[in-house]
Amino acid sequence: MGNTDDCEIQQRVGVEIPPTKPFLQTLKSSLKETFFPDDPFKQFKNQPSSRKFILGLQYFVPILEWAPRYTFDFFKADFIAGITIASLAVPQGISYAGLASLPPVIGLYSSFVPPLIYAMLGSSRDLAVGTVAVPSLLITSMMGKVVNPHQNPKLYVQLVLTATFFAGVFQAALGLLRLGFIVDFLSHATIVGFMGGAATVVCLQQLKGILGLVHFTHEADIISVMKSVFTQIHMWKWESGVLGCCFLFFLFITRFFSRRKPVFFWINALAPLTSVILGSLLVYFTHAEKNGVQIIGYLKKGLNPPSVSELKTSFGSTHLSAAIKTGIITGVIALAEGIAVGRSFATFKSYHIDGNKEMIAIGMMNIAGSCTSCYLTTGPFSRTAVNFNAGCKTAVSNIVMATAVMITLLFLTPLFHYTPLVVLSAIIMAAMISLIDYEAAIHLWGIDKFDFIVCISAYIGVVFGSVETGLVIAVAISLLRVLLFIARPRTSVMGNIPNSIAYRSIEQYPKANYVPGILVLNISAPVYFANANYLRERISRWIDEEEDRLKCSEKQDLQYVILDMSAVGNIDTSGISMLEEVKKIVDRRCIKLVLANPGGEVMKKLDKSKFIHTIGQEWIYLTVEEAASACNFMLQACKPKTKAVGCEAADDQV
C-alpha cells in the first residue's frame, strides 16, 4: 500500500510466494506422495550392488529378513498357535467350501498351499490365512447364476478357480502398482453394513442344512431364502433340526465362556473341531444318516492336485467374463478384510503393516492357490483372533497350520466321512452371527447419521437384493458423500474469542464476538471447479446477511471481508476465477477483500494468474489475527469515512 492519505498505513506482511518448480518435478513429487508415501527405496540409497540385491529380496520376501533372527522360543509359541488354528481351519475349510458350493476337500486344499505362500511374503505376524464366509457367499451367488454347481460341478469348479486366479492377479497388481488406496473407498460404515447383511443371508441359507432340506434356492436375498424354507415345510427333518440346535447352543456357550474368561480362549477355538468329532461319532453309532441327517461322505485323500489344466480350459470358456468379474469383486472384498484384520492386530503389538506388501502377498497366494485346486483365501478375523490369543510370534504359525492340514489330507480325511452337514451349518451360523455388529451400527447413529445411512443401505441392499447390489449401493453412497464434501464445502463466520487474539467459528463458539465492520469467513476445503460456483454464491450470501445484520443494529458499515484460507490446500483455475468474481462483487460494494494464510500451492497459482497483483500483496496476511488487527487499525484511523480505503466514488458505484 502506498502513502496516499493519513488513513492509509504502510503495511508489510510476511506472506511469501514459494519458488516455482518445473512441472515434471512437481508431477514427480505428487506421484511419489500418492504411490510411495513410505519411500520404500530409501534403504537402497548409498548401498553397494550386492547389498541392494539382498535388501531387494528381503523387501519382496520378508521371511528372509526375520528368519535369521528366529529362535526356538518363538517356534514353541508359533507351534502352539499353529496347532490351535489348525483345529479351527479344518472344520471352517470344509464348511466354507460348502458355502461356496464347492467340494469339501477344496476347503482343506485352500488351508494348505496359501498359508505357506503368505508365510514367505506377508508382513503380518498375526494374520492366519484361510477361506472366509463373505467371499464364499459372493462366489456362489455370482457364479451360481452362470453355471449350476449341482448340474455341472466340473465347469463350476473350473470357473471358481479361474475367478480365484484373476482375484490374485488383481490383488497383486494393486500392490505392485501401489494402488492400495482404492481399497480405502470401502469405508468403515460400508464394511459394517455389508458384512452384517452378508452374515444375515449366510445364516438364513444355513437353514437348508439345519432343516435337512435337499433342494434350496441359489438366490441370496431374504425373500427367496424364506420362500424356499417355508414352501418345503413338509420336507423338514426334525432329527436334523434338533441336532443343529444342540450344536448351535454348544458353540454359543463355549464362545460366551471364552469371552468371560479370556484365558480359556482355546475352548472357543476348539469348539468347531469338537463339534465335528462329536457329530461324526453320533452319526456313526446311531446311523442317523439313514434317518434324514445328511453327511459329507467320501473325501479324497492326498495333497492338492495341480489345476493349471482347468485354468487353461476355462480361459477359452464363454463364461470367462463372469469369472473375471467375480474375481475382481471378491478380490477387493478379501483384500479389504485381510488388510483391515492385519492392521488391527498389528496395532496391539506396535508394529507396522505395509499395505502394498500385503496386497502382493495375498495376490500371490491366490495365484498359487488357483494353480493347486484352492479357491479364494485371505486373513479371516476369527482365525486371526485365535492365532493372536494363542500367542503367535511370527508367520511360522501359518506354516504349522498348513503342516497340520497336510497331515489331515494325507491320512485323516476318511474320518470326516460321517460328519453331518448340520454341524457344518451350525459352525457357519455361529461364526456369522458375530459379524452382525449391531453395536457398531448404533455407534454410527450416535456419531454420524450419514454414515449410519450408508451402513443401513448396504445392509438392506444385501439382505433384500443381492450381495453385489448391497456392495454397489454402499460404495455409490460413500462416493456420493465424498462428492458432496467436495462440491459443498463448509464455510463459517469467525469471531474473536473474548480476552484473546484467536478467531474461531461463531457457530462452534457462540461467545465469540463479531468485529464491527469486518466479516471473517473460513473456507474449509480445497477450491476446485466442483465447488467454485457454490463458494462464490455462499460468500455473497454471507456478505448480504452481514450487511443486513449491521443495518438492523445501526452499527458501522461492512468494510472488510477476510477469507481464512488456512484449509485451502489447493486451488484450480475455476477457483481463481471465483476469487476474481468475489473481488469484483466486494469492489462494487466498496468493501475490501483480504486473504489470510493461503498455502504455498495456492500462492503460486495466485501469483501466476496475476490475482496477487489485482488484490495487492499487502492485503494478504499470515494469520486471521494479523489481518483483523490491521483492518481494525485502519477502521479506527479512518473513522470519519464510511467506507474502506480504496473505494470508488459513490457516483461510480453500480
Side-chain angles (χ1 to χ4, degrees), residues 152-184:
N152 199 344
K154 183 177 180 180
L155 177 59
Y156 179 81
V157 170
Q158 289 176 349
L159 291 176
V160 170
L161 295 177
T162 305
T164 302
F165 173 80
F166 282 106
V169 170
F170 181 71
Q171 292 166 336
L174 287 180
L176 291 170
L177 298 176
R178 315 288 291 187
L179 296 174
F181 59 86
I182 292 177
V183 180
D184 294 335

Side-chain angles (χ1 to χ4, degrees), residues 2 37 46 70 174 178 200 260 317 430 442 477 548 573 582 595:
N46 303 320
Y70 196 71
L174 287 180
R178 315 288 291 187
T200 301
R260 292 290 298 271
S317 170
I442 295 172
I477 294 178
D548 292 341
T573 53
V582 170
L595 303 184

Side-chain angles (χ1 to χ4, degrees), residues 243 247 276 279-280 283 293-296 418-424:
L243 196 61
F247 279 107
V276 169
S280 300
V283 170
V293 177
Q294 301 175 49
I295 59 175
I296 289 179
Y418 288 98
T419 300
L421 296 182
V422 65
V423 172
L424 302 182

Side-chain angles (χ1 to χ4, degrees), residues 485-494 503-505 519-528 530-540 542-543 561-572 574-580 582-583 593-599 602 606 611 624:
F485 281 157
I486 295 174
R488 294 295 182 266
R490 288 187 62 83
T491 59
S492 59
V493 177
M494 303 177 72
Y503 283 78
R504 296 293 183 268
S505 169
L519 175 62
V520 184
L521 299 177
N522 173 261
I523 302 175
S524 59
V527 182
Y528 295 122
N531 58 29
N533 287 332
Y534 167 78
L535 285 174
R536 183 191 67 248
E537 295 170 2
R538 190 69 188 97
I539 291 171
S540 296
W542 280 124
I543 294 173
V561 173
I562 301 174
L563 295 184
D564 176 19
M565 304 184 71
S566 304
V568 182
N570 213 330
I571 192 170
D572 65 358
S574 298
I576 295 172
S577 298
M578 180 274 293
L579 289 179
E580 291 172 346
V582 170
K583 176 74 169 60
L593 180 64
V594 183
L595 303 184
N597 196 26
V602 176
L606 293 181
F611 182 77
V624 173

Side-chain angles (χ1 to χ4, degrees), residues 86 88-115 129-132 136 157 160-161 296 299-300 302 304-305 369 372-377 383 401-402 405-406 408-409 413 424:
L88 183 64
V90 171
Q92 275 192 349
I94 296 173
S95 302
Y96 293 157
L99 186 59
S101 300
L102 293 168
V105 72
I106 291 183
L108 294 179
Y109 292 157
S110 302
S111 293
F112 174 49
V113 172
V129 172
T131 55
V132 279
S136 298
V157 170
V160 170
L161 295 177
I296 289 179
L299 279 181
K300 181 181 177 183
N304 303 33
T372 53
S373 301
C374 305
Y375 83 105
L376 190 70
T377 54
R383 203 176 299 187
M401 177 189 70
V405 173
M406 177 190 71
T408 302
L409 285 167
T413 50
L424 302 182

